């Protein structure tokens, strides 16, 4: 009888050579940590000067760095050669990729290694369907495509050459953050996270929304703070100084606070409302962390977020890109009905945990890895016999 191979036995390569620090980068790191903490042997292929590499080193994850500075999204010979060398030198049991731009070379190289399962986590906007003959031929090498929600599954079916049976909904796998108990009631904290220049651009919209909210909140008897958190060097972003000046010009210096943090949990501990700013992502893990931690949310209006808000009604609202007027009206709606949102978040908490909690995600991830590895190991065993 063949011995079952466990998740903890696998030697896995995680590939994410990205300069960003978004949901997919954080998911790549999280998956490495999950695998390492369960006894597995994860290796992370990433950029040397990236935030992902910095965080991986901090958490003692083995990193393998791309030998260039930035991977060319169209075609990159150096990236191809780096991976070819890596696959020759090391026997990996599973390969997991996190961006479509980095996937094509992997698919080509693994055509020569059909016994290694290839998993791909998809959370991208695509301008055009990826269904040319070459793309379809390469994408056949992907054994499992993982998405965070039903909407992203539909997007994958519409834009990628993949059959429905190969797409699995993993959920987002986020932790519950315990909120502070001794927070002053006369202060309401609206918190957001900036990880990119595009996020910082949205903060300008929130400043204008905050300005127009001040008279209403004064009548309601509390002070309103906009807390902007970052784990990256946002002071290097082109619009940083202009954003700071915008707060000063609108007499909001005492209400807007920029905070550099070392732990993402700090974002949620004092939050009364969490605002999502990542319009460039279909699905965002910070937003789901807020909801699972029972914090009302104001989310960017995208198909995935609208589905979440329809699935979990009265847990948050959405706003249109760069629309300060709508952001203000939706924030006021949440502030005036905060107990309704809090009650609904409490009522639907278990559903959040079951769909997007870390334990449920880990259970699904283990199943995806073990099932795909076992499928190929059974084929190899049959070939030997």
């Amino acid at each position: 009888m063949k011995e079952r191979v466990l998740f903890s036995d696998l030697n896995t390569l995680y590939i994410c050579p990205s300069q960003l620090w978004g949901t997919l980068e954080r998911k790549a790191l999280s998956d490495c940590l999950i695998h390492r903490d369960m006894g597995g042997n994860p290796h992370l292929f990433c950029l040397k000067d990236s935030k992902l590499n910095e965080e991986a080193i901090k958490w003692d994850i083995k990193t393998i760095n791309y030998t260039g500075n930035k991977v060319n999204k169209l075609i990159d010979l150096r990236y191809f050669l780096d991976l070819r060398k890596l696959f020759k030198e090391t026997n990996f049991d599973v390969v997991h990729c996190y961006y479509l731009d980095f996937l094509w070379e992997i698919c080509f190289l693994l055509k020569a290694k059909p016994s290694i399962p290839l998993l791909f986590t998809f959370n991208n906007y695509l301008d055009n369907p990826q269904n040319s003959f070459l793309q379809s031929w390469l994408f056949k090498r992907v054994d499992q495509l993982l998405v965070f929600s039903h909407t992203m599954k539909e997007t994958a079916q519409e834009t990628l050459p993949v059959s429905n049976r190969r797409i699995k909904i993993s959920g987002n796998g986020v932790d519950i953050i315990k909120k502070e108990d001794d927070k002053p009631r006369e202060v309401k904290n609206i918190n957001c996270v900036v990880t990119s220049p595009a996020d910082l651009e949205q903060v300008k919209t929130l400043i204008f929304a905050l300005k127009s909210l001040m008279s209403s909140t004064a009548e309601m008897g509390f002070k309103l703070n906009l807390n902007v958190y970052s784990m990256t060097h946002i002071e290097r972003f082109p619009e940083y100084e202009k954003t700071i000046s915008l707060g000063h010009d609108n007499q909001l210096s005492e209400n807007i606070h920029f905070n550099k943090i070392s732990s993402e949990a700090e974002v949620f501990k004092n939050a009364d409302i969490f605002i999502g700013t990542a319009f460039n992502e279909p699905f965002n893990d910070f937003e789901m962390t807020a909801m699972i931690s029972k914090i009302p949310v104001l989310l960017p209006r995208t198909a995935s977020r609208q589905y979440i808000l329809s699935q979990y009604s009265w847990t948050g609202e959405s706003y249109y890109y760069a629309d300060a007027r709508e952001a203000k009206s939706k924030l006021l709606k949440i502030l005036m009905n905060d107990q309704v949102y809090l009650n609904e978040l409490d009522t639907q908490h278990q559903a959040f945990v079951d769909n997007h909690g870390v334990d449920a995600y880990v259970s699904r991830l283990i199943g995806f890895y073990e099932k795909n590895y076992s499928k190929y190991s059974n084929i190899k065993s049959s070939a030997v016999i």
Side-chain angles (χ1 to χ4, degrees):
M1 181 177 178
K2 191 175 182 301
E3 183 180 354
R4 178 189 173 191
V5 175
L6 301 176
F7 181 67
S8 57
D9 299 326
L10 299 176
N11 186 37
T12 304
L13 177 64
Y14 297 87
I15 300 178
C16 191
S18 165
Q19 295 177 307
L20 305 176
W21 183 241
T23 296
L24 286 173
E25 289 77 16
R26 293 188 291 272
K27 180 51 60 184
L29 178 63
S30 173
D31 287 350
C32 287
L33 291 171
I34 289 168
H35 198 194
R36 193 270 309 275
D37 292 346
M38 296 192 69
N41 188 25
H43 304 258
L44 177 61
F45 183 90
C46 58
L47 298 181
K48 184 177 181 180
D49 295 326
S50 65
K51 177 65 177 176
L52 177 57
N53 186 68
E54 177 187 326
E55 290 294 310
I57 291 172
K58 184 172 77 174
W59 289 98
D60 294 324
I61 296 295
K62 300 174 189 174
T63 59
I64 303 166
N65 294 136
Y66 168 62
T67 56
N69 295 319
K70 179 183 177 181
V71 177
N72 188 314
K73 293 182 178 181
L74 182 61
I75 186 168
D76 192 309
L77 182 59
R78 187 191 296 267
Y79 174 57
F80 177 84
L81 294 175
D82 280 357
L83 289 179
R84 187 176 70 171
K85 180 182 178 183
L86 185 58
F87 289 136
K88 283 183 177 180
E89 293 177 350
T90 309
N91 293 320
F92 294 106
D93 298 313
V94 177
V95 175
H96 193 154
C97 178
Y98 294 83
Y99 271 98
L100 188 65
D101 293 329
F102 309 136
L103 183 68
W104 305 113
E105 289 91 341
I106 303 168
C107 289
F108 183 83
L109 289 166
L110 291 185
K111 286 280 188 178
K113 292 180 175 289
S115 62
I116 300 177
L118 173 58
L119 283 76
F120 170 51
T121 295
F122 178 62
N123 188 46
N124 301 107
Y125 290 119
L126 298 178
D127 295 329
N128 301 296
Q130 309 293 297
N131 56 9
S132 69
F133 175 79
L134 180 60
Q135 289 167 328
S136 299
W137 178 74
L138 289 171
F139 211 87
K140 287 180 181 178
R141 188 57 188 82
V142 177
D143 297 285
Q144 200 94 82
L145 189 151
L146 308 183
V147 294
F148 299 134
S149 68
H150 288 277
T151 309
M152 286 309 299
K153 180 176 182 179
E154 293 173 359
T155 301
Q157 290 172 315
E158 294 168 359
T159 57
L160 296 174
V162 59
S163 63
N164 183 52
R165 64 180 177 80
R166 284 194 287 157
I167 307 174
K168 300 296 180 183
I169 299 172
S170 65
N172 203 213
V174 293
D175 268 324
I176 301 167
I177 307 300
K178 182 174 172 50
K179 294 171 65 178
E180 294 176 353
D181 296 325
D182 56 350
K183 187 176 73 66
R185 294 186 178 183
E186 65 273 13
V187 176
K188 294 290 185 181
N189 289 306
I190 300 175
N191 294 359
C192 67
V193 180
V194 168
T195 64
S196 70
D199 292 349
L200 188 61
E201 193 66 32
Q202 276 308 114
V203 172
K204 295 180 183 178
T205 300
L206 302 182
I207 290 173
F208 288 120
L210 184 68
K211 175 67 174 178
S212 60
L213 264 177
M214 296 308 289
S215 59
S216 300
T217 54
E219 293 174 6
M220 296 166 70
F222 54 77
K223 177 187 176 184
L224 205 58
N225 286 336
L226 175 62
N227 301 307
V228 182
Y229 293 94
S230 167
M231 292 183 70
T232 56
H233 295 285
I234 64 169
E235 68 276 4
R236 299 174 185 173
F237 294 166
E239 293 297 307
Y240 178 74
E241 293 298 333
K242 289 183 180 180
T243 307
I244 296 291
S245 298
L246 188 63
H248 290 307
D249 294 343
N250 285 278
Q251 291 79 48
L252 295 172
S253 300
E254 295 183 2
N255 303 89
I256 301 175
H257 310 281
F258 286 80
N259 307 282
K260 184 75 178 291
I261 55 173
S262 58
S263 169
E264 292 157 359
E266 296 175 46
V267 175
F268 307 99
K269 290 182 178 179
N270 71 340
D272 294 292
I273 300 174
F274 179 81
I275 301 184
T277 57
F279 276 86
N280 59 331
E281 292 183 333
F283 198 96
N284 181 268
D285 56 339
F286 286 141
E287 297 162 5
M288 193 51 61
T289 299
M291 297 176 85
I292 207 171
S293 302
K294 304 181 183 180
I295 300 168
V297 293
L298 180 61
L299 307 181
R301 186 168 299 139
T302 65
S304 291
R305 273 97 163 192
Q306 289 299 101
Y307 177 82
I308 292 292
L309 292 175
S310 67
Q311 188 180 14
Y312 305 104
S313 58
W314 285 94
T315 57
E317 300 292 335
S318 67
Y319 71 110
Y320 190 69
Y321 179 79
D323 192 334
R325 183 178 299 178
E326 186 181 23
K328 177 250 182 180
S329 66
K330 293 297 180 64
L331 284 170
L332 187 58
K333 180 181 178 182
I334 295 172
L335 289 166
M336 292 179 67
N337 300 280
D338 62 337
Q339 199 56 52
V340 175
Y341 288 91
L342 291 171
N343 290 343
E344 197 60 33
L345 284 161
D346 190 59
T347 299
Q348 304 209 49
H349 178 70
Q350 192 56 49
F352 278 120
V353 172
D354 292 343
N355 290 325
H356 296 284
V358 65
D359 290 342
Y361 176 83
V362 169
S363 178
R364 296 186 193 109
L365 191 69
I366 291 172
F368 298 148
Y369 277 50
E370 292 183 352
K371 180 179 179 181
N372 281 282
Y373 183 80
S374 297
K375 178 178 71 175
Y376 281 109
S377 63
N378 288 339
I379 291 173
K380 285 189 288 187
S381 298
S382 299
V384 172
I385 293 172

